[in-house]
Amino acid sequence: MQAVGLITEYNPFHNGHKYHVQQAKAVSGADVVVAVMSGNYVQRGEPAVFDKWDRTQLALAGGVNLLAELPFAFAVQPAHIFATGAVRLLADMGVSSIVFGAEHATLDFLEIAKQAQAALNDTQNFTGDYSQTYATQFNDVVETIVGFRIDHPNDLLGLAYAQAVLALNLESKVRLLPIQRQQAQYHDQTLNTANDIASATALRRQATTADHAVLKRFMSDEGALLLTQGPAVKSFDTAWLAALLYKVKTTPVDELEKIYQLNDGLAYRLHALIERRDYTTMTELLTDFKSKRYTQSRLQRSLLYTILNVTHVEMQTALQQPYIRFLGMDQLGRKYVKQQRDQFTLPVINRVSQDEINGILKLDYRAGALYHYFEKTPGAVQDTGRIPVYYER
């Protein structure tokens, strides 16, 4: 069996994602759809609208055959780290192609990345570290190659996937196949009932307020029912702020500086802001914390790292320890795992052990425990005692 890979957040799974699954099989000719999905937190540094188990269930119902978790260390990161972790996992699981949505699907993302990288290598001693400066230079060169600025979210991710394929030396093993993004755009804020595809952003904004019948137009009945109940966790904007304030107020600045990406004066700035003003929302704090040097997503991730007490050392350790943890599968996915199990080179986690909690899963376990703490109606804990969701077709 041949497998096609998808890199996802499914926050939440909707008709656009279902179309992605269907088209992935069609354009790749693969038998099995394998998705890597962010766990309980998404790339911009917020808790997911539903936990990873509910989102897995919706994805399997939507046509995905096998779904694995993208570890926190890769999931809550800028595009190049997010892409590298996801591409590595998919390659280890044996996918022969990766299909992704793009605003300009006719572009050859891999060829563009190769040309841009070669151009930069000719002009400077590039070491392979995707720093912010390099990213800016890279995008400048890309603009000269394609004739316009690539600044759409999915196009930028496509370039990140291409860079990851090159960096991991997978060019001969994994094809990149872009498909045209349909109807709604990534940042659309409203639901257009003339269509049946909406952005995940618009759907999240309608949580608890939109009629179930309206939501069903854009997602499954099960997903619509969940969304009418609202996010699984208490408000990140208010409830999670209390944890951040406590952490900053009770931690010396020199200790805060050990938090991942809370460097270059950010720890001092954050501490000073919180000492000077009584904030009531995360939005207010981010407004004051913003900087021309850093994007809001970058700063929001740093606040989440602070709440979770993720140190630089701990993050670097986690980035060196990728693993495969299956969240769910159907009959075909189970058959594919049996076919490929001897080919996996990364550790495969089934039931979580105490050794894994103290080791390779240390960061993810803590992140899951915090998500569970803030759940509105806590059920089972996020990681221990859980087995992959099995979906019978």
Side-chain angles (χ1 to χ4, degrees):
M1 289 188 294
Q2 294 294 311
V4 59
L6 312 180
I7 299 171
T8 68
E9 289 189 323
Y10 292 153
N11 189 39
F13 191 95
H14 54 68
N15 289 349
H17 297 130
K18 187 174 182 179
Y19 174 83
H20 183 202
V21 172
Q22 295 167 342
Q23 288 298 300
K25 292 189 75 171
V27 302
S28 68
D31 309 293
V32 184
V33 177
V34 178
V36 166
M37 183 185 79
S38 302
N40 289 321
Y41 301 85
V42 294
Q43 189 187 3
R44 65 181 178 277
E46 290 181 349
V49 65
F50 311 136
D51 75 20
K52 58 190 177 185
W53 305 104
D54 282 339
R55 287 169 28 248
T56 293
Q57 178 71 32
L58 295 176
L60 292 171
V64 176
N65 303 116
L66 179 64
L67 197 142
E69 180 174 1
L70 181 62
F72 179 92
F74 297 98
V76 187
Q77 290 280 12
H80 66 283
I81 300 177
F82 175 90
T84 300
V87 169
R88 183 174 181 185
L89 261 64
L90 286 173
D92 202 71
M93 289 187 284
V95 307
S96 56
S97 56
I98 296 173
V99 175
F100 59 94
E103 288 84 2
H104 296 87
T106 57
L107 295 176
D108 186 336
F109 287 86
L110 188 62
E111 182 59 29
I112 292 168
K114 287 170 63 177
Q115 290 184 32
Q117 187 167 303
L120 285 172
N121 285 345
D122 286 342
T123 59
Q124 64 184 46
N125 182 22
F126 173 53
T127 63
D129 177 24
Y130 296 137
S131 67
Q132 185 179 12
T133 300
Y134 175 80
T136 301
Q137 293 174 342
F138 181 88
N139 289 334
D140 289 343
V141 173
V142 167
E143 184 174 4
T144 67
I145 295 171
V146 301
F148 59 90
R149 190 76 176 181
I150 292 185
D151 54 10
H152 290 83
N154 295 99
D155 285 349
L156 289 170
L157 277 173
L159 282 174
Y161 301 149
Q163 289 175 277
V165 167
L166 294 174
L168 296 169
N169 295 314
L170 294 172
E171 187 179 354
S172 64
K173 297 179 180 179
V174 178
R175 295 182 298 161
L176 291 180
L177 302 174
I179 60 173
Q180 187 63 44
R181 186 177 177 92
Q182 297 295 308
Q183 297 180 18
Q185 296 305 305
Y186 185 88
H187 290 302
D188 282 358
Q189 302 287 310
T190 58
L191 301 179
N192 182 353
T193 54
N195 299 326
D196 59 4
I197 294 178
S199 73
T201 301
L203 288 168
R204 289 193 302 272
R205 286 175 64 89
Q206 301 301 315
T208 72
T209 60
D211 184 83
H212 174 250
V214 173
L215 293 175
K216 277 179 60 177
R217 183 175 184 85
F218 305 102
M219 59 197 310
S220 69
D221 181 62
E222 183 181 3
L225 283 171
L226 279 174
L227 202 57
T228 57
Q229 298 167 23
V233 295
K234 298 172 185 175
S235 169
F236 184 71
D237 201 37
T238 54
W240 293 58
L241 175 67
L244 175 68
L245 297 179
Y246 176 81
K247 172 65 180 176
V248 175
K249 285 177 176 290
T250 59
T251 306
V253 175
D254 59 343
E255 288 297 311
L256 285 176
E257 286 189 301
K258 296 178 182 178
I259 299 293
Y260 181 64
Q261 291 194 343
L262 207 62
N263 53 357
D264 293 335
L266 288 178
Y268 285 92
R269 179 172 173 77
L270 179 62
H271 189 271
L273 287 172
I274 289 175
E275 285 293 303
R276 188 166 63 238
R277 178 179 171 185
D278 292 329
Y279 289 98
T280 58
T281 68
M282 200 79 76
T283 301
E284 291 175 352
L285 175 57
L286 275 169
T287 298
D288 287 350
F289 196 36
K290 68 181 179 182
S291 162
K292 291 182 179 180
R293 183 176 181 183
Y294 300 111
T295 65
Q296 180 165 316
S297 292
R298 159 71 164 79
L299 294 175
Q300 185 162 277
R301 285 192 293 266
S302 71
L303 297 185
L304 180 61
Y305 301 145
T306 304
I307 297 172
L308 281 164
N309 195 34
V310 183
T311 66
H312 176 80
V313 172
E314 185 176 28
M315 181 63 83
Q316 293 306 317
T317 299
L319 288 171
Q320 298 303 313
Q321 297 179 331
Y323 60 83
I324 296 172
R325 184 182 185 188
F326 294 116
L327 295 174
M329 62 191 74
D330 63 7
Q331 302 99 307
L332 197 58
R334 178 180 285 178
K335 185 177 180 181
Y336 182 75
V337 170
K338 289 181 179 179
Q339 171 190 297
Q340 294 293 125
R341 67 173 41 152
D342 292 337
Q343 306 300 316
F344 299 145
T345 62
L346 295 176
V348 177
I349 295 174
N350 296 306
R351 286 185 180 273
V352 175
S353 69
Q354 191 62 47
D355 285 344
E356 288 162 341
I357 290 173
N358 294 332
I360 197 170
L361 274 184
K362 184 178 181 180
L363 178 54
D364 289 88
Y365 179 78
R366 188 163 78 245
L370 187 70
Y371 189 96
H372 178 67
Y373 176 79
F374 280 107
E375 283 184 288
K376 292 177 180 175
T377 54
V381 296
Q382 286 296 311
D383 290 296
T384 53
R386 306 296 288 257
I387 60 174
V389 174
Y390 182 68
Y391 186 84
E392 187 82 35
R393 295 201 189 279

